[in-house]
Amino acid sequence: MDNQKADIGFIGLAVMGQNLVQNIASKGFSVAVYNRTAAITREYIETVDSENISPAYSLSDLCNSIKSPKRIMLMVKAGEAVDEVIDQLLPNLHKGDALLDMGNSNYKDTQRRTHQLTEKGILYSGVGVSGGEEGALNGPSIMFGGSKELFTEVEALIKSISAMDFQGAATLTYVGPDGAGHYAKMVHNGIEYAMMQAISEAYFLLRDVFHKDPSEIAAVFANLNEGPLNSYLIQITADVLNKRDDLTEGFLIDKILDVAEQKGTGSWVSISALENGTALNILTEAVFARSLSADKQTRIKLAELSTKNELEKNSRDKNLPDDKQLHKLVEDSLLVSFYLAFIQGFHLLAKAEAENNWQINLSELTRIWQGGCIIRAELLKDLKRYTETKAVLIENEELFKMINGKIPSLRELALMATSHALPLPVMQNSLLYFDSMINPNLPTNLIQGLRDYFGAHTYKRTDREGIFHTNWDDQN
Ligand code: 6PG
């Protein structure tokens, strides 16, 4: 009988999946769960102790144990695994059933799957979920993509499991059709990469130029978290820096290898920007900074060959700011980097939504990113206001003036870092982006001339309309 069946099916019981199921069940919805490895399902069921969670040991069992039309959430590794599960599920699905992919799938895969499944009468939804393990359990931020009707139908359930924004409303929104939800999550992750890189650059400066130990740097971050930089990532930075190693003496941070890994979403956002011609240097440098960190052995070899140490010796302690000045330099530089990372992310979103006709409400994203997700930050309150008035965020005068006022700090910090041979890819690229955007006469006229010289690619003029080509061999 249908009323004894579960409200929803759930596939994928890695930690995120387990926590999300517990979250759903705790809100009174019944969930039938399945994992490819039956032992994991068994173990999970033994530990959760909730009458709202029931196990299924095959996909047909799962489908038989949920109400029709079936609503099945997938939380499996992005990529081929998602396609495999869909293929295996298909014989058990009927017209009107729906799959909700809650993982970090590439939006292009989501578009393809939406198209393929729509042809079969199956609804497919790409749902961006942010918040890590803790967010999955206690309330993530949810970016829903797919059919609006499906959204309306499952809204109550998804709303009940999400976190809250600054006003206490659920951090859930309908982003747009097909890949829009996963696109928004991808941009979220690009911003996440940039914020984390900027934070690590501030740490780098405090460690290698100001020679502070991890607990002193943790205190700086704890202090920064009391001001306009208040955010989840700044807050946990203080925790990470303060953590003592339980295997040896000292701070754990000093024992962690400086090679940053990545699962893909950060690079997808850069690929999307390259494809649609949006400047995304800040977010992209954060991806490259991770790639670069992987060359550990080369870095060790080249450090011995370089004159970096001499440079450091020469610039050591020369006119370094005191702690109060330093606090301002770091705070301003992080704020500029954070704001510009969001601005670049939003430019990309605006471009993509126009190209795909997704009708994304950017202001809604600044609202649902206020709670639950990894990039939740106080500055989203301001950004929400700015997105309501200007589509191209950097043209918002109030926002621009605020950033402009903090640029001298970033410039000073960047110069200090350069003189110490300290690379700050996100902070320096924030400055580079700002300086490019305020320059009405970039040297790209010369690029146009060169292109026309060797390839007759033509150019436009500043003084009249039209397309021009010059015979450059003729040197008159
Ligand atoms: C989130 C996170 C989450 C994941 C990152 C990690 O919003 O909850 O973004 O989805 O932890 O994508 O990605 P990397 O392994 O690429 O750093």
Side-chain angles (χ1 to χ4, degrees), residues 16 104 129-133 143 185 188-189 192-193 196 261-266 290 372-375:
M16 281 287 284
N104 271 334
V129 177
S130 173
E133 292 172 12
M143 295 144 255
K185 176 67 200 328
H188 166 287
N189 281 27
E192 172 187 305
Y193 270 51
M196 286 164 68
E261 295 176 11
Q262 48 186 314
K263 293 202 194 73
T265 40
R290 293 194 190 189
C373 69
I374 305 298
I375 62 174

Side-chain angles (χ1 to χ4, degrees), residues 121-389:
I122 312 286
L123 296 161
Y124 191 76
S125 194
V127 187
V129 177
S130 173
E133 292 172 12
E134 191 269 331
L137 185 63
N138 299 319
S141 174
I142 304 180
M143 295 144 255
F144 193 99
S147 137
K148 186 79 197 244
E149 289 70 33
L150 179 64
F151 174 73
T152 310
E153 191 207 305
V154 296
E155 191 177 354
L157 185 152
I158 303 193
K159 207 178 222 171
S160 75
I161 61 165
S162 55
M164 281 192 278
D165 68 19
F166 297 149
Q167 306 296 322
T171 51
L172 158 72
T173 198
Y174 175 74
V175 183
D178 61 77
H182 276 148
Y183 197 92
K185 176 67 200 328
M186 177 188 80
V187 172
H188 166 287
N189 281 27
I191 297 170
E192 172 187 305
Y193 270 51
M195 289 173 77
M196 286 164 68
Q197 176 63 29
I199 288 172
S200 73
E201 291 169 12
Y203 154 73
F204 200 12
L205 185 95
L206 295 168
R207 187 191 70 185
D208 288 9
V209 177
F210 290 86
H211 310 291
K212 292 185 182 293
D213 77 16
S215 68
E216 290 170 320
I217 307 175
V220 174
F221 277 99
N223 205 351
L224 288 170
N225 200 41
E226 299 297 311
L229 278 167
N230 179 270
S231 56
Y232 174 68
L233 284 170
I234 294 279
Q235 177 208 321
I236 65 167
T237 298
D239 294 345
V240 168
L241 290 170
N242 259 331
K243 185 85 183 160
R244 310 291 303 197
D245 187 11
D246 56 9
L247 295 179
T248 59
E249 287 287 288
F251 291 96
L252 178 57
I253 190 70
D254 293 333
K255 309 283 164 32
I256 299 180
L257 185 71
D258 60 339
V259 173
E261 295 176 11
Q262 48 186 314
K263 293 202 194 73
T265 40
S267 59
W268 298 341
V269 76
S270 301
I271 292 168
S272 178
L274 288 168
E275 280 174 354
N276 75 15
T278 308
L280 202 81
N281 60 316
I282 300 171
L283 275 59
T284 304
E285 277 300 331
V287 182
F288 285 152
R290 293 194 190 189
S291 313
L292 221 145
S293 77
D295 281 338
K296 177 82 175 173
Q297 292 315 319
T298 312
R299 287 191 281 121
I300 292 172
K301 271 191 222 141
L302 296 183
E304 284 161 17
L305 292 178
S306 81
T307 50
K308 178 175 170 292
N309 287 347
E310 262 163 59
L311 189 66
E312 267 175 7
K313 231 181 285 155
N314 291 340
S315 35
R316 181 160 297 169
D317 303 332
K318 255 191 215 159
N319 302 324
L320 287 181
D322 63 24
D323 274 357
K324 193 162 168 246
Q325 291 163 326
L326 179 62
H327 180 97
K328 180 171 164 46
L329 287 188
V330 172
E331 181 174 77
D332 284 357
S333 303
L334 278 171
L335 271 172
V336 170
S337 304
F338 281 13
Y339 270 106
L340 289 179
F342 273 97
I343 285 171
Q344 287 200 338
F346 276 103
H347 284 180
L348 180 65
L349 270 164
K351 193 94 162 258
E353 82 100 1
E355 274 171 12
N356 293 283
N357 200 19
W358 280 334
Q359 316 272 320
I360 297 180
N361 181 338
L362 297 183
S363 163
E364 262 296 274
L365 288 179
T366 58
R367 184 187 70 72
I368 66 152
W369 288 347
Q370 290 173 6
C373 69
I374 305 298
I375 62 174
R376 59 187 187 261
E378 188 73 23
L379 59 80
L380 281 156
K381 203 192 282 171
D382 277 351
L383 280 177
K384 178 160 189 333
R385 199 156 38 85
Y386 300 135
T387 44
E388 276 156 11
T389 54

Side-chain angles (χ1 to χ4, degrees), residues 395-407:
E395 288 180 18
N396 182 297
E397 259 183 55
E398 199 188 331
L399 175 58
F400 178 83
K401 278 188 185 151
M402 186 272 289
I403 293 173
N404 194 41
K406 297 185 186 307
I407 286 291

